[in-house]
Amino acid sequence: MTHDGRLLRGQRSREAILGQAVSLASVEGLDGLSLGRLAAALGISKSGFFAHWRDKEQLQLDAVDWAVRQWTEQIITPALRAPAGVRRLFALHEARLRFYADRVLPGGCFFLAVRTEFDDRPGEVRERVSKAMRDWLAFVRRLAAEAISCGELRADVDPDQLAYEMEALGELAVTHSRLLDDQRAVEHARRAVLQRLRALSPDPSLLPED
């Protein structure tokens, strides 16, 4: 096998491990990651892990980065195809809810699982999770601000407040659908944000009625 072939195989192995790590962490948290369990799930030896990670903390950090990549590819990128303004903001919310409804991750949401795990635990993993969440909220605020600047949301709308409300409703869609077995939680979260955006838009016809 050529050097390039070995590198490609190693990269694919690393990505498969990280994908499995994010899936497991969405259920059991980052502390629940076990090299033994990951190895068994992927059918590889434990020694294969040490070619990629020096310790468990580095695996946790890379899992956070992989989850950010997954979130970007499956939620942010599709939303950016919508026209800039209030439609893009709503498309972002819908893409997030679709991610949950499609059960991409067995635990629903990686970030919801790990941020409650690390919110009071100082260290590099907490900082990485915190940065991911800050970047996400900043992105939602930016889309809200763009919608205001192009006249599709009222000038008196507070982007920080709107981003907070959308985030809270997104979280509830996960917890209510799973913990309370509420089959309509995702639809409730969708409708709540839709009604909020229509009420704040000078031209609510830009958005669906329901």
Side-chain angles (χ1 to χ4, degrees):
M1 183 181 289
T2 66
H3 177 66
D4 288 345
R6 287 194 299 271
L7 286 176
L8 180 59
R9 182 178 176 183
Q11 180 65 21
R12 286 175 176 169
S13 172
R14 184 177 185 276
E15 291 183 354
I17 294 169
L18 287 172
Q20 187 66 36
V22 168
S23 291
L24 287 175
S26 74
V27 177
E28 301 181 8
L30 284 171
D31 267 351
L33 290 182
S34 157
L35 296 184
R37 182 168 179 187
L38 282 170
L42 291 160
I44 61 178
S45 66
K46 284 186 183 181
S47 61
F49 283 87
F50 296 106
H52 303 292
W53 295 282
R54 64 180 184 270
D55 54 35
K56 184 174 178 177
E57 182 180 70
Q58 188 58 52
L59 173 62
Q60 292 174 330
L61 291 169
D62 288 346
V64 176
D65 291 343
W66 179 264
V68 169
R69 173 179 165 181
Q70 181 185 60
W71 191 267
T72 300
E73 290 176 351
Q74 299 203 33
I75 297 173
I76 292 176
T77 299
L80 289 175
R81 299 188 188 110
V86 72
R87 286 165 290 184
R88 182 173 292 175
L89 189 59
F90 186 55
L92 185 71
H93 186 62
E94 286 198 301
R96 176 186 189 168
L97 295 180
R98 191 177 309 114
F99 182 88
Y100 298 151
D102 289 347
R103 297 186 175 272
V104 176
L105 295 175
C109 184
F110 170 88
F111 292 104
L112 187 59
V114 303
R115 68 189 182 196
T116 54
E117 184 182 17
F118 283 89
D119 57 355
D120 293 318
R121 295 168 54 182
E124 194 172 353
V125 177
R126 179 188 185 278
E127 292 307 309
R128 191 71 57 88
V129 173
S130 177
K131 181 182 185 303
M133 293 308 305
R134 286 196 301 269
D135 289 348
W136 162 248
L137 289 171
F139 179 73
V140 180
R141 288 194 298 268
R142 179 165 69 81
L143 292 194
E146 287 177 351
I148 295 167
S149 67
C150 67
E152 293 188 2
L153 285 178
R154 294 198 320 250
D156 61 347
V157 170
D158 181 349
D160 289 331
Q161 178 67 29
L162 185 55
Y164 186 92
E165 293 172 9
M166 292 178 65
E167 178 63 17
L169 287 161
E171 290 180 12
L172 283 176
V174 178
T175 55
H176 280 212
S177 63
R178 291 174 177 275
L179 187 60
L180 302 181
D181 198 26
D182 182 355
Q183 301 303 311
R184 298 191 63 197
V186 167
E187 181 55 32
H188 287 319
R190 177 187 180 275
R191 186 175 296 125
V193 169
L194 175 59
Q195 291 175 350
R196 182 77 169 127
L197 293 178
R198 283 179 61 87
L200 295 174
S201 177
D203 184 6
S205 68
L206 292 169
L207 295 164
E209 291 186 3
D210 199 357

